[in-house]
Amino acid sequence: MAVPKRKTSRSNTRHRRAHWKATAPHLVPVTVDGREHLVPRRLAKAYERGLLTP
């Protein structure tokens, strides 16, 4: 395991953490029972097969 040679300053730590951003999932339209819903792309097939309810 890597061990740092010196302590990271508080400003550097907070500056690094401040740039992390979560991104919203890419939504795709899926038609279920005649109605169109926006769902994440990775779950689209599950909705089409009826495994999940919107």
Side-chain angles (χ1 to χ4, degrees), residues 7-27:
K7 183 176 181 178
T8 305
S9 70
R10 182 182 291 177
S11 68
N12 280 346
T13 301
R14 291 181 177 168
H15 189 260
R16 181 183 69 245
R17 289 180 183 161
H19 287 289
W20 184 88
K21 297 280 187 292
T23 58
H26 298 287
L27 302 178

Side-chain angles (χ1 to χ4, degrees), residues 26 28 30 39-49 52:
H26 298 287
V28 295
V30 172
V39 297
R41 180 181 296 277
R42 65 188 187 91
L43 297 176
K45 288 205 179 197
Y47 280 102
E48 289 173 354
R49 292 178 184 159
L52 302 171

